[in-house]
Amino acid sequence: MGHSLTWAYTDKITTTSEYLILPSQYQKLEHRVKENSIATLVESIPFDSQHEINTGVEAYSVYENKGIKFNVVDFRGPETGKLHRFVTTLPMTINPGTIAMLYFKRWTIEKTFNITKSNFKETKARSSNTRSLENQMRLTAMSYNLMRVFEEISKTQQPELIHPSDKKYSEALEIRQQQAQKRDRFVNPLFFQARISRISSYTIRAVQNAIITGMSLQCFMSSLVARLVSRPQLIGEH
């Protein structure tokens, strides 16, 4: 009690290490906070520091500013040693490590938006009518989800194999792990767990070509399965 904290937050596109996460009615949002904002420590929140999901979490606390309480997660990246401070109004029951990882996974969301613009060519509104705009967004989301289903189903046809994008991601983690270990550090083990990757450009083109040529669903799925590759051998855990 009585301890104060001064910070400044900016969006991730800058070089600062501190960010703000606030949930809204529909989604988690990033907000810019005025510099020299001062918050007072209210209490520490107990958490399981030994659980893998909380790797890198140094503290989990409740702060107060002008009568408003919020939680602060102090997270030090095990790979870089860089300290990040995440602010959230999410329930205390959520692991602080989960809150930190949610932020780092935001890039996946940004890549999804990029797909709709680059691959789906949805770069502008097709109408000024609200209902039409809603339908455009729904159709775009439906198209994306349909391609996601095709790609994920293809991965289950031969469980011993993986998608090329997953292999590339795993090999990149291997390199990061090796570099981190040279500095007596390690990559957060959560990055080695199963993930939903970006839909590959090949899958998108395959769907488009199947529609144009009238290819059967069986032949189409076989073409996706044919793209799967062997799993690489990784260092994996620290």
Side-chain angles (χ1 to χ4, degrees):
M1 293 290 291
H3 176 69
S4 62
L5 181 66
T6 303
W7 48 46
Y9 300 95
T10 64
D11 189 74
K12 189 176 186 302
I13 59 174
T14 65
T15 59
T16 183
S17 63
E18 297 182 356
Y19 307 98
L20 173 66
I21 299 180
L22 293 174
S24 68
Q25 182 179 0
Y26 302 104
Q27 60 184 350
K28 297 179 181 65
L29 298 177
E30 299 279 335
H31 293 280
R32 189 180 296 267
V33 177
K34 293 181 179 179
E35 293 185 358
N36 300 321
S37 295
I38 299 178
T40 302
L41 175 66
V42 177
E43 61 180 336
S44 296
I45 304 174
F47 68 95
D48 185 359
S49 61
Q50 302 303 312
H51 197 294
E52 181 181 63
I53 200 170
N54 292 323
T55 300
V57 176
E58 296 187 346
Y60 192 23
S61 312
V62 178
Y63 279 82
E64 182 176 7
N65 179 277
K66 297 180 180 180
I68 300 177
K69 293 184 179 181
F70 46 86
N71 305 331
V72 178
V73 178
D74 289 346
F75 176 86
R76 189 175 300 278
E79 182 179 359
T80 64
K82 190 175 184 179
L83 178 64
H84 303 263
R85 181 164 290 119
F86 299 97
V87 179
T88 178
T89 54
L90 291 172
M92 297 181 187
T93 53
I94 296 180
N95 285 309
T98 299
I99 295 173
M101 288 303 295
L102 282 175
Y103 183 86
F104 292 115
K105 290 296 183 180
R106 286 184 66 250
W107 183 242
T108 302
I109 300 175
E110 297 297 332
K111 297 302 290 185
T112 299
F113 293 149
N114 181 60
I115 287 176
T116 61
K117 294 179 180 179
S118 301
N119 299 96
F120 292 2
K121 309 303 180 183
E122 290 296 322
T123 58
K124 63 180 181 180
R126 306 295 179 179
S127 172
S128 59
N129 180 271
T130 301
R131 181 61 61 83
S132 297
L133 292 175
E134 291 176 348
N135 289 336
Q136 180 182 352
M137 289 187 289
R138 291 190 183 101
L139 289 172
T140 300
M142 290 170 60
S143 298
Y144 179 90
N145 289 336
L146 182 61
M147 293 187 187
R148 166 63 67 192
V149 169
F150 286 144
E151 188 164 286
E152 295 303 317
I153 290 179
S154 72
K155 296 178 182 179
T156 65
Q157 303 307 299
Q158 296 189 34
E160 71 279 7
L161 302 178
I162 63 174
H163 194 273
S165 62
D166 292 324
K167 181 179 180 179
K168 182 178 179 181
Y169 176 80
S170 298
E171 290 174 341
L173 281 182
E174 165 97 0
I175 295 174
R176 287 171 56 184
Q177 185 75 299
Q178 292 175 344
Q179 294 176 341
Q181 289 178 344
K182 292 179 180 179
R183 305 189 302 270
D184 293 326
R185 294 192 173 277
F186 58 90
V187 174
N188 193 318
L190 297 182
F191 282 112
F192 290 93
Q193 296 184 2
R195 71 189 184 102
I196 296 180
S197 60
R198 176 187 180 185
I199 297 177
S200 70
S201 297
Y202 177 86
T203 297
I204 296 174
R205 292 195 302 269
V207 171
Q208 294 170 339
N209 292 334
I211 294 175
I212 294 173
T213 62
M215 181 186 298
S216 68
L217 180 60
Q218 182 177 359
C219 290
F220 164 68
M221 291 303 300
S222 296
S223 68
L224 295 184
V225 174
R227 290 270 297 171
L228 301 181
V229 297
S230 300
R231 296 176 180 273
Q233 296 297 319
L234 300 174
I235 295 177
E237 303 295 337
H238 60 278

